[in-house]
């Protein structure tokens, strides 16, 4: 038997082609695409403007990827909800729903695991399993919208995985989710976070999808950055910052720099001064993230006063800085932590 086609991963042109192979007219493809993406249908039986026979035929040829929530944790502190989803092949991924004053944001994963090896990150401890399909990225947003009953206005690709290491599927996901015939999210309300894969950053600047690019900076000099992030051994700070400038020139979107503060490693006032010099004159935003300790490593965060002092030093130069508001601290908010605790529970079951 032929394997079913993952129809939610197809563009409208792709659906049209697949339906032409079934001798169906293009407008049928438009209808199906709308059901899948504008209305997030989970089953062909919901598609009531299709004949019963076409629905039956579609069920034979296609499959609709729908993620299965295996655990949902709700923060009592701030309304954050964390979802652990099971994929068709049994892998699990995590996504987060965050209500903000400006709208509801969903943070999605782009890969199962990660191979970038950042020292403080839980997602990468067991390496990369695989990149997510377009449908698996989309359905994190769709399922969370359906389950919460809330309108999702913002998406951040900041969960597990390195989005630019799953390039084709990331771009497919972005084209689909911003498509006015589908979910119709504004590119301006999407942020992609990268550890700094330089060639892919240049390529991404040419895609014509003006999302916000966030760069995980985490240090003001190459030496410290290499200690924390193996990818920095491949691309220097100078190279990665140049790629950021290029992205800004091409898209007009100012870069957001993420800086996880790790006590005694990159959070000294001296580091803040260096960072201030490095970013001076750039049209950017710095997001400070007090490191979320993971049990596999002994990284810690500094005191509240030290963190505020770091911020003040940057602000003195007119740099726009925020300290990431911690969301869902009581529900294992840090990337990859929930998946890991689920896996270790599952493997300790006799
Ligand atoms: N691969 C992407 C997305 C990673 S998650 C990237 O590297 O940007 C989003 C941000 O959280 C990144 O800046 C990442 O470095 C940071 N991060 C991961 N684990 C963390 C932890 N335990 N504490 C603080 N920040 C963390």
């Amino acid at each position: 038997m032929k394997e079913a086609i993952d129809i939610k991963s197809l563009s409208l042109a792709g659906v049209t082609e697949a339906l032409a192979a079934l001798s169906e007219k293009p407008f049928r493809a438009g209808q199906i695409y709308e059901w899948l993406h504008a209305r997030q249908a989970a089953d062909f039986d919901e598609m009531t403007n299709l004949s019963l026979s076409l629905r039956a035929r579609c069920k034979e040829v296609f499959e609709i990827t729908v993620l299965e929530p295996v655990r949902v944790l709700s923060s009592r502190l701030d309304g954050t909800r964390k979802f652990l989803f099971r994929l068709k092949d049994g892998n699990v991924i995590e996504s987060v729903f965050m209500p903000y004053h400006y709208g509801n944001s969903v943070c999605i994963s782009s890969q199962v695991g990660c191979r970038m090896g950042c020292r403080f990150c839980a997602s990468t401890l067991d390496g990369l399993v695989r990149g997510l399909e377009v449908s698996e990225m989309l359905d994190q947003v769709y399922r969370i919208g359906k389950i919460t009953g809330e309108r999702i206005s913002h998406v951040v690709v900041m969960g597990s995985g390195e989005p630019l290491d799953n390039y084709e599927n990331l771009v497919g996901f972005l084209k689909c989710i911003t498509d006015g015939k589908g979910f119709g999210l504004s590119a301006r309300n999407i942020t992609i976070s990268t550890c700094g894969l330089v060639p892919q950053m240049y390529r991404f600047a040419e895609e014509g999808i003006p999302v916000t690019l966030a760069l995980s900076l985490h240090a003001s000099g190459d030496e410290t950055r290499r200690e924390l992030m193996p990818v920095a051994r491949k691309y220097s700070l100078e190279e990665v910052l140049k790629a950021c400038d290029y992205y800004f020139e091409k898209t007009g979107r100012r870069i957001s720099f993420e800086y996880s503060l790790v006590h005694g490693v990159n959070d000294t006032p001296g580091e803040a001064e260096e960072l201030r010099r490095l970013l001076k004159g750039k049209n950017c935003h710095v997001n400070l993230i007090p490191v979320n300790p993971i049990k596999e490593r002994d990284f810690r965060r500094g005191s509240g006063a030290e963190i505020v002092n770091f911020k003040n030093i940057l602000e003195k130069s007119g740099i726009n800085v925020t300290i990431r508001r911690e969301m869902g601290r009581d529900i294992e908010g840090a990337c990859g932590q929930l998946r890991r605790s689920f896996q270790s529970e599952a493997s300790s079951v006799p």
Side-chain angles (χ1 to χ4, degrees), residues 33-66:
Y33 187 84
E34 189 190 326
W35 276 109
L36 290 174
H37 301 288
R39 305 168 80 154
Q40 303 99 46
D43 199 294
F44 286 105
D45 284 329
E46 292 177 40
M47 305 184 187
T48 44
N49 52 359
L50 306 185
S51 68
L52 281 175
S53 65
L54 178 57
R55 283 185 240 166
R57 186 81 182 100
C58 283
K59 285 187 217 172
E60 285 168 17
V61 178
F62 304 115
E63 65 180 348
I64 301 179
T65 296
V66 177

Side-chain angles (χ1 to χ4, degrees), residues 280-324:
K280 210 169 172 183
K282 282 196 195 298
N283 193 343
C284 66
H285 171 254
V286 175
N287 199 0
L288 298 173
I289 316 170
V291 75
N292 234 315
I294 56 173
K295 69 174 190 303
E296 291 80 359
R297 304 264 190 268
D298 59 357
F299 290 132
R300 314 218 173 288
R301 55 175 62 179
S303 67
E306 285 167 312
I307 293 168
V308 170
N309 187 40
F310 197 98
K311 176 175 185 254
N312 290 343
I313 293 173
L314 297 177
E315 274 180 342
K316 267 198 315 219
S317 293
I319 298 174
N320 192 302
V321 193
T322 46
I323 299 175
R324 172 148 336 150

Side-chain angles (χ1 to χ4, degrees), residues 107-108 110-111 114 116 118-123 157-164 192-196 214-218 229 231 257-262 287 289-294 299 301 324 333-337:
C107 172
I108 69 161
S110 56
Q111 297 182 313
C114 183
M116 296 297 130
C118 299
R119 297 286 298 154
F120 43 78
C121 180
S123 305
V157 188
M158 286 194 184
S160 294
E162 167 49 47
L164 296 183
I192 305 299
S193 177
T194 179
C195 64
L215 176 77
S216 296
L217 192 57
H218 304 330
M229 308 173 74
V231 69
F257 292 108
E258 286 159 287
Y259 197 104
S260 296
L261 290 162
V262 185
N287 199 0
I289 316 170
V291 75
N292 234 315
I294 56 173
F299 290 132
R301 55 175 62 179
R324 172 148 336 150
C335 303
Q337 285 194 143

Side-chain angles (χ1 to χ4, degrees), residues 74-218:
S74 302
S75 170
R76 278 168 312 222
L77 306 175
D78 52 34
T80 299
R81 276 182 253 181
K82 192 140 191 179
F83 295 78
L84 198 68
F85 287 116
R86 196 191 322 270
L87 310 176
K88 200 177 85 171
D89 62 4
N91 278 304
V92 292
I93 54 166
E94 50 188 87
S95 328
V96 190
F97 169 83
M98 294 166 287
Y100 287 104
H101 63 274
Y102 54 74
N104 296 311
S105 181
V106 168
C107 172
I108 69 161
S109 293
S110 56
Q111 297 182 313
V112 181
C114 183
R115 58 176 178 158
M116 296 297 130
C118 299
R119 297 286 298 154
F120 43 78
C121 180
S123 305
T124 201
L125 290 167
D126 293 327
L128 175 68
V129 179
R130 68 176 176 84
L132 295 184
E133 299 296 333
V134 171
S135 58
E136 292 167 332
M137 286 188 257
L138 288 169
D139 207 54
Q140 294 174 62
V141 181
Y142 297 178
R143 243 6 71 204
I144 288 179
K146 288 277 182 188
I147 294 168
T148 60
E150 301 278 355
R151 201 179 88 85
I152 310 298
S153 57
H154 291 69
V155 168
V156 296
V157 188
M158 286 194 184
S160 294
E162 167 49 47
L164 296 183
D165 189 36
N166 186 17
Y167 191 91
E168 301 294 340
N169 289 350
L170 175 79
V171 169
F173 160 75
L174 293 174
K175 286 191 172 151
C176 187
I177 202 150
T178 54
D179 184 351
K181 293 198 186 78
F183 197 76
L185 203 65
S186 160
R188 309 182 77 81
N189 292 359
I190 302 177
T191 301
I192 305 299
S193 177
T194 179
C195 64
L197 298 177
V198 169
Q200 288 92 323
M201 288 167 74
Y202 280 105
R203 188 172 165 204
F204 192 58
E206 310 294 339
E207 296 286 352
I209 321 168
V211 300
T212 298
L213 191 65
L215 176 77
S216 296
L217 192 57
H218 304 330

